[in-house]
Amino acid sequence: MADDTQQVDPKADPKAEREAARLARRIGSFSKAHGGAEGQVAYIGQRGARIVLVGEDGAWGDIVAPTYAVAEQAVRKSGITVHESFDGEFAAKVKTGPYEWSRMAGLQLGGPGNG
């Protein structure tokens, strides 16, 4: 069985290089808006990789890259600290408000529906 996370080197592909640069700019904008940022890259199958960002102020967001290699290059270009996993001290930095709690609870606690 082939390793699905193995990708073409984005430096050898000009389109992938441009995408990594575009994502790095978005990561940089998030970081600037939130007093700095840290991230974690997670492989999400054929859709690519998810870059989860957590700002120093506790704000969080994510960006999807077309491949894991492009995501890795984007976070490297952006200069943020990258964590191997989203747990422990890193996860504790996320601040959630009423909106997030209602979305996580969904219909069970009277949150907005998913439909």
Side-chain angles (χ1 to χ4, degrees):
M1 178 180 223
D3 179 7
D4 289 337
T5 62
Q6 189 174 20
Q7 303 291 332
V8 175
D9 179 11
K11 291 180 182 176
D13 180 359
K15 183 178 176 185
E17 178 72 27
R18 286 190 305 273
E19 181 65 12
R22 185 183 69 81
L23 293 172
R25 285 190 302 273
R26 290 182 62 194
I27 293 166
S29 293
F30 179 90
S31 181
K32 184 177 179 183
H34 298 284
E38 298 176 43
Q40 189 259 336
V41 179
Y43 178 67
I44 56 174
Q46 289 182 333
R47 294 215 35 183
R50 179 181 186 209
I51 305 167
V52 179
L53 301 169
V54 179
E56 288 300 315
D57 62 0
W60 60 278
D62 67 350
I63 300 171
V64 175
T67 67
Y68 193 87
V70 168
E72 285 184 314
Q73 186 176 17
V75 295
R76 197 170 38 253
K77 283 179 174 280
S78 72
I80 65 169
T81 299
V82 181
H83 297 267
E84 289 292 318
S85 62
F86 194 82
D87 61 2
E89 198 173 307
F90 180 48
K93 292 181 178 187
V94 175
K95 291 192 170 87
T96 55
Y99 173 78
E100 288 85 4
W101 282 103
S102 69
R103 292 300 296 171
M104 287 187 271
L107 297 174
Q108 293 84 0
L109 297 177
N114 292 329

